[in-house]
Amino acid sequence: LIKNRYIGRSFIVPTQEMRERIVNLKLNPILSEIKGKRVVIIDDSIVRGTTSKRLVKILKDAGVKEIHFRSVSPPIIAPCYLGIDTPSKDDLISANMSVEELRDYLGVNSLEFLSMDNLKVILGSSNHCFGCFTEEYPVSNPSTQYPSGQVDCSSIISVLVLKSFVFIKNLLGGTPRFISQITWSLIV
């Protein structure tokens, strides 16, 4: 897939229709590279599921044989009040579906998330806010005590993406073909 670098993150766009249009403009398949192949999608997270669902559809329409999805973060089950503008819990797909239901909804052969234990190992510490993964925030009432944007916890995702890429590169003995800076596709 080739990513249009002029299209930003889709999960922060206000309407579902706009998010779907952005995803369609953002990713374009190269049929000769993926048709008939088994693909592993590695993404930083699944928030609403819009990008993930569209990405799977794009790959299936391009003739991919199997799709396996891996998220380098645990399921996002609660809003982030401390820096990342995430939607209400009702809009968070992992808050409303089991992993099996989400796998079926996305239409992938397998779906796995990073565990909380492995997240803490990768970060080398438990001294971070994991509220969006656990609903346990480091403050008593984050929605009123820290209005969104006052504390930036997005560095956790950046560290996870970089460390996961290094792990995969070492595991495979080479560099996976990039879909984008954040989402990678391993074609086997």
Side-chain angles (χ1 to χ4, degrees):
L1 295 176
I2 299 206
K3 179 187 177 192
N4 181 336
R5 295 188 180 273
Y6 299 103
I7 305 290
R9 299 296 303 259
S10 61
F11 79 90
I12 59 176
V13 176
T15 69
Q16 182 66 20
E17 181 182 350
M18 289 173 66
R19 287 189 290 273
E20 289 176 8
R21 278 193 211 157
I22 284 174
V23 174
N24 284 338
L25 293 172
K26 187 192 303 190
L27 302 170
N28 300 289
I30 301 173
L31 298 177
S32 62
E33 290 290 323
I34 59 177
K35 188 173 183 176
K37 304 276 177 88
R38 295 171 45 216
V39 176
V40 178
I41 300 169
I42 302 169
D43 205 349
D44 62 343
S45 60
I46 300 175
V47 181
R48 286 186 171 102
T50 302
T51 299
S52 305
K53 180 92 170 156
R54 284 295 207 192
L55 177 56
V56 169
K57 183 180 182 337
I58 289 167
L59 291 170
K60 283 186 173 186
D61 290 348
V64 168
K65 182 170 67 172
E66 285 181 23
I67 302 172
H68 303 273
F69 204 109
R70 301 297 180 262
S71 174
V72 298
S73 75
I76 297 173
I77 61 165
C80 175
Y81 300 107
L82 305 176
I84 299 175
D85 186 18
T86 53
S88 72
K89 189 170 180 168
D90 291 341
D91 294 331
L92 298 169
I93 199 158
S94 291
N96 298 290
M97 289 185 186
S98 68
V99 173
E100 295 77 22
E101 290 170 331
L102 183 52
R103 181 197 65 222
D104 293 344
Y105 170 77
L106 294 176
V108 295
N109 298 82
S110 67
L111 170 66
E112 291 185 30
F113 290 88
L114 182 69
S115 70
M116 279 303 302
D117 289 339
N118 285 336
L119 171 60
K120 291 173 185 174
V121 169
I122 289 169
L123 294 173
S125 168
S126 294
N127 295 330
H128 299 280
C129 176
F130 299 115
C132 59
F133 306 128
T134 64
E135 285 190 284
E136 296 172 12
Y137 301 93
V139 293
S140 60
N141 192 353
S143 63
T144 57
Q145 194 170 359
Y146 293 94
S148 185
Q150 285 189 352
V151 180
D152 186 9
C153 59
S154 61
S155 61
I156 290 176
I157 297 296
S158 297
V159 168
L160 287 175
V161 169
L162 291 173
K163 288 190 175 191
S164 296
F165 178 68
V166 170
F167 171 78
I168 291 162
K169 181 178 176 184
N170 292 337
L171 180 71
L172 298 177
T175 304
R177 299 176 193 170
F178 278 94
I179 285 182
S180 72
Q181 296 170 349
I182 301 297
T183 306
W184 300 297
S185 175
L186 304 175
I187 302 171
V188 209

